[in-house]
């Protein structure tokens, strides 16, 4: 049975045909992922995720490219998504470490900043940045708008609403 027959049967719900199709492409797929990830366990995990996605989406395979190319596309997208997640997690961890360091420094200098930092850390950065730029660094609304690529009125609104939120949170802490 050739690949086209297996694909047709798999799309019609034949699990044995789908299994054969995946078995025929498994080696190709894992070798590709080993070269891309340079890590055997990650390659194995991504191969399994790719196979699961293929099983879920077999109906979407349109035959315009080779089946192996379709699998490579799925695997590549999963790998890119994984790398993005890792980057977000790393950025979050770095931000948390910086926040802890700032709190420690504030506590050691007997500043009242620890509570303020807690509240600022919970804010969306689109709100936090204008507040810090305005009230810590002293930039004008116009300068902040240019830095962030937003209108001056938007900066004023974010600072005003952000400060209201900070005051409310600090009042609740007392």
């Amino acid at each position: 049975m050739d690949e086209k027959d297996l694909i047709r049967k798999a799309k019609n719900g034949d699990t044995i045909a789908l299994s054969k199709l995946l078995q025929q492409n498994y080696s190709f797929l894992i070798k590709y992922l080993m070269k891309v990830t340079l890590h055997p366990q990650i390659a194995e995990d991504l191969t399994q995720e790719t196979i699961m996605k293929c099983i879920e989406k077999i109906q979407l395979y349109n035959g315009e490219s080779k089946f192996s190319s379709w699998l490579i596309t799925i695997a590549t997208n999963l790998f890119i998504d994984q790398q993005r997640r890792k980057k977000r997690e790393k950025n979050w961890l770095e931000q948390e470490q910086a926040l802890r360091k700032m709190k420690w420094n504030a506590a050691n200098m007997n500043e009242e900043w620890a509570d303020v930092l807690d509240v600022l850390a919970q804010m969306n950065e689109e709100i936090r940045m204008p507040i810090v730029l305005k009230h810590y660094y002293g930039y004008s609304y116009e300068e902040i708008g240019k830095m962030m690529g937003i209108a001056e009125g938007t900066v004023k609104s974010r600072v005003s609403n952000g400060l209201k939120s900070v005051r409310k949170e600090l009042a609740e802490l007392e």
Side-chain angles (χ1 to χ4, degrees):
M1 195 177 314
D2 73 342
E3 189 173 86
K4 287 184 181 184
D5 289 334
L6 288 173
I7 292 167
R8 185 179 41 75
K9 287 183 176 185
K11 287 177 92 169
N12 288 327
D14 186 337
T15 56
I16 293 174
L18 180 58
S19 176
K20 285 181 183 176
L21 193 58
L22 293 172
Q23 285 173 358
Q24 289 174 359
N25 288 280
Y26 182 84
S27 176
F28 174 76
L29 182 60
I30 192 134
K31 286 176 185 174
Y32 165 74
L33 286 167
M34 289 282 264
K35 290 173 188 152
V36 170
T37 64
L38 302 175
H39 194 283
Q41 188 58 49
I42 293 172
E44 181 66 37
D45 291 346
L46 284 170
T47 300
Q48 295 302 318
E49 284 183 54
T50 302
I51 288 171
M52 292 299 296
K53 188 72 78 174
C54 173
I55 291 168
E56 291 172 14
K57 307 286 185 179
I58 188 68
Q59 296 299 325
L60 299 178
Y61 176 68
N62 59 18
E64 289 180 14
S65 62
K66 290 173 55 176
F67 186 76
S68 59
S69 297
W70 186 63
L71 286 176
I72 292 297
T73 301
I74 294 170
T76 300
N77 288 336
L78 288 171
F79 176 68
I80 290 168
D81 289 346
Q82 182 185 65
Q83 294 305 106
R84 286 183 186 138
R85 266 192 311 277
K86 282 183 181 179
K87 185 177 180 182
R88 277 194 305 270
E89 289 170 5
K90 181 182 176 197
N91 288 343
W92 182 82
L93 286 173
E94 287 173 356
Q95 188 177 14
E96 284 295 307
Q97 288 173 339
L99 178 61
R100 279 196 300 273
K101 185 176 179 182
M102 286 176 68
K103 284 183 187 177
W104 186 84
N105 287 338
N108 284 337
M109 294 194 285
N110 293 324
E111 293 183 21
E112 299 294 323
W113 263 80
D115 289 341
V116 174
L117 287 173
D118 279 337
V119 173
L120 286 174
Q122 294 172 10
M123 293 183 141
N124 182 320
E125 62 189 34
E126 290 178 348
I127 305 295
R128 181 176 59 241
M129 286 172 52
I131 292 172
V132 171
L133 289 170
K134 178 68 179 159
H135 292 285
Y136 189 74
Y137 290 101
Y139 287 104
S140 71
Y141 293 118
E142 182 182 358
E143 291 171 317
I144 297 168
K146 286 179 182 174
M147 286 181 216
M148 296 182 66
I150 57 177
E152 185 178 339
T154 304
V155 174
K156 288 178 182 177
S157 172
R158 289 180 183 178
V159 169
S160 175
N161 292 331
L163 288 176
K164 285 178 188 173
S165 178
V166 168
R167 287 184 192 110
K168 180 182 173 192
E169 291 290 325
L170 289 176
E172 290 175 7
L173 290 174
E174 290 178 356

